[in-house]
């Protein structure tokens, strides 16, 4: 995945803590925004609000949709803030400065020239992560340059480029060959002829390799990714520089039309979207973007096909299941563990907490998806789907309940299966880790405390806003009274204030002597 991503090692902790925290940041999507969102180098910003459980909503602000760390993109603007013309001009200049050094057209022209060069002339600068033409060689003399770049290497740019390693913004974890091969074979078995690869560069590469190989595949793919370096290796109809958090095409309407044409080809038949978003990103902005891509696909459908859904594989950690299903109720989670080539812990074959937490969420019926038995998956006739070997069917839940690959235990008090490391807590009245904090923050909505929704979709949100407004007015009246009282009593209190000040000064002198 070539989009901003927090480290996989902290993903599970973040996923769980994010649901239990007493405060957090949520994205806000006004149904009818009065003004367009301001722009940062990564496209339109998102509107956020910091919420605290049991407290009133705070002031809303705009921030970058893609970067979690303000060191990487320091954009910040209050929603109601008015900017001067000078500040707006400075911001536009900064945004232009942060754009890639070469335009999309220039990248294509350079690529066409590069492949015409002899093998000995094909060079790649590892420091600048750039394909070099003969005219560029002199500028890169002091850099580490690799020569003899073959056509095979050009077809596997994810192996030629260094993975970005900033864990809060650009950490790239790329599919292992095992997972990538499984996905390609599965897509072929299911009969898809086009794959929209959103943040899955390695899958895009393998599909194209199979299409140009000896046993030619009839599957085509289009890559949408925020890593502009891929612009050097693909033509306009194969890659679009894209931000999946705000549905922004960096190359404008031309790129948007490439995506639209790809989705609507053959009246929208035979296409699937496969996406591997950054795990550290908020689920709601991703869901909003994916629904826009679905709407783009539906534009090419006839009215008779209005009931159809765009097939999707959303690859994400298992502990986000409830959030994903909140936005896409038709989705289910497969047991298949997706692993990554350049991650030390989450790889296939590991056991316990070190196995990959990454799963496939899809709206394709699970009984149609065959998972490889040689990797430890079996078919459950009761659930009518493939599950991992340790995922045992619970007769009380009437389901194969494990989410993380381990055998879960049924708790009769909670009336559900829980992780084997959890025990039932009589104080909390639910299962949790043995060393959990009983007085800790609770799951669920910040407004009403219910577990089945978040604050933004709470049915009591209107009442909460009225209460918060009344509380603010009451605080304002109290503040005004205190100010008036202070003004009236200023002369009376002056003597006592002077005495206190003198006492503090004498105490300070004594301590310093």
């Amino acid at each position: 995945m070539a989009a901003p991503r927090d480290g996989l090692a902290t993903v599970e902790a973040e996923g769980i803590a994010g649901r239990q925290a007493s405060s957090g940041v949520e994205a806000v999507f006004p149904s009818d925004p009065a003004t367009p969102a301001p722009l940062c180098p990564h496209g339109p910003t998102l509107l956020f609000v910091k919420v605290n459980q049991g407290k009133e909503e705070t002031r809303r602000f705009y921030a970058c949709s893609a970067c979690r760390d303000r060191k990487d993109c320091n954009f910040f603007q209050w929603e109601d803030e008015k900017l001067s013309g000078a500040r707006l001009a400075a911001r536009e200049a900064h945004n232009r400065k942060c754009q890639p050094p070469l335009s999309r057209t220039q990248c294509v022209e350079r690529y066409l020239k590069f492949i015409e060069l002899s093998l000995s002339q094909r060079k790649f600068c590892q420091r600048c992560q750039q394909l070099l033409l003969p005219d560029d060689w002199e500028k890169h003399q002091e850099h580490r340059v690799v020569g003899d770049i073959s056509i095979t290497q050009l077809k596997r740019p994810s192996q030629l480029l260094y993975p970005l390693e900033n864990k809060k913004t650009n950490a790239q974890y790329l599919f292992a060959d095992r997972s990538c091969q499984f996905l390609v074979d599965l897509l072929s078995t299911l009969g898809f002829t086009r794959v929209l690869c959103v943040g899955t560069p390695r899958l895009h590469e393998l599909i194209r390799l199979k299409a140009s190989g000896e046993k030619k595949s009839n599957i085509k793919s289009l890559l949408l990714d925020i890593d502009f370096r891929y612009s050097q290796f693909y033509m306009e109809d194969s890659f679009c520089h894209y931000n999946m958090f705000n549905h922004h095409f960096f190359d404008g309407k031309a790129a948007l039309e490439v995506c639209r044409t790809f989705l609507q080809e053959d009246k929208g038949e035979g296409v699937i979207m496969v996406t591997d978003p950054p795990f550290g990103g908020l689920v709601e902005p991703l869901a909003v973007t994916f629904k826009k891509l679905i709407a783009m696909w539906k534009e090419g459908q006839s009215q008779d096909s209005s009931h159809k859904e765009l097939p999707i594989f959303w690859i994400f950690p298992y502990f986000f299941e409830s959030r994903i299903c909140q936005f896409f109720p038709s989705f289910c989670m497969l047991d298949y563990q997706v692993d990554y080539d350049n991650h030390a812990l989450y790889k296939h074959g590991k056991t316990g907490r070190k196995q990959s937490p990454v799963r496939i969420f899809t709206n394709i019926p699970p009984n149609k998806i065959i998972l490889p038995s040689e990797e430890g998956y079996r078919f459950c006739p009761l659930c009518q789907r493939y599950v991992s070997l340790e995922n045992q069917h619970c007769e009380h839940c009437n389901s194969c309940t494990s989410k993380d690959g381990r055998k879960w235990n049924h708790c009769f008090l909670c009336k559900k299966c829980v992780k084997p490391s959890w025990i039932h807590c009589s104080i909390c009245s639910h299962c949790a880790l043995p060393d959990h904090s009983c007085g800790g923050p609770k799951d669920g909505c910040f407004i009403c405390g219910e577990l089945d929704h978040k604050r933004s979709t709470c049915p009591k949100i209107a009442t909460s806003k009225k209460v918060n407004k009344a509380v603010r007015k009451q605080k304002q009246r109290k503040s005004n009274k205190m100010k008036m009282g202070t003004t009236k009593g200023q002369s009376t209190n002056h003597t006592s204030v002077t005495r206190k000040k003198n006492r503090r000064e004498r105490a300070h002198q004594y301590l310093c002597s």
Side-chain angles (χ1 to χ4, degrees), residues 493-505:
N493 294 333
H494 178 72
T495 304
S496 62
V497 169
T498 304
R499 287 174 182 169
K500 289 179 181 178
K501 183 178 179 182
N502 291 337
R503 280 200 299 268
R504 284 197 300 270
E505 287 177 352

Side-chain angles (χ1 to χ4, degrees), residues 235-277:
M235 306 296 285
E236 290 100 326
D237 60 350
S238 301
F239 171 76
C240 297
H241 188 199
Y242 178 75
N243 183 350
M244 71 172 79
F245 283 100
N246 56 9
H247 188 55
H248 177 65
F249 289 87
F250 290 88
D251 296 305
K253 290 183 178 179
L256 175 66
E257 287 306 313
V258 167
C259 182
R260 190 192 307 276
T261 301
F262 186 85
L263 285 171
Q264 296 180 5
E265 186 180 328
D266 295 332
K267 298 182 180 178
E269 294 294 325
V271 66
I272 182 174
M273 183 178 86
V274 181
T275 180
D276 185 27

Side-chain angles (χ1 to χ4, degrees), residues 353 419 421-423 425 430-437:
R353 307 246 336 143
K419 293 180 179 181
S421 56
W422 288 16
I423 60 171
C425 177
H430 64 76
C431 288
L433 287 168
D435 58 349
H436 75 284
S437 173

Side-chain angles (χ1 to χ4, degrees), residues 45 47 73 136 145 160 165 227 231 297 303 312 336 356 359 374 376 394 462 467 497:
T45 54
L47 185 62
C73 183
D136 306 320
V145 175
L160 194 60
E165 294 180 348
D227 190 348
S231 299
W297 169 76
Q303 290 186 349
I312 295 175
Y336 186 81
S356 173
R359 303 290 185 270
E374 64 273 14
C394 175
V467 172
V497 169

Side-chain angles (χ1 to χ4, degrees), residues 18-77:
R19 295 194 296 275
Q20 293 181 342
S22 58
S23 66
V25 174
E26 291 184 4
V28 181
F29 295 91
S31 55
D32 187 21
T35 56
L39 301 177
C40 77
H42 303 93
T45 54
L46 293 182
L47 185 62
F48 294 96
V49 62
K50 187 173 183 180
V51 292
N52 296 281
Q53 195 163 20
K55 296 184 180 180
E56 60 185 278
E57 186 176 286
T58 57
R59 194 176 176 188
R60 304 199 297 190
F61 60 92
Y62 289 102
C64 179
S65 63
C67 298
R68 299 177 58 201
D69 194 330
R70 290 189 65 188
K71 292 178 182 177
D72 300 302
C73 183
N74 63 1
F75 186 97
F76 183 91
Q77 180 183 322

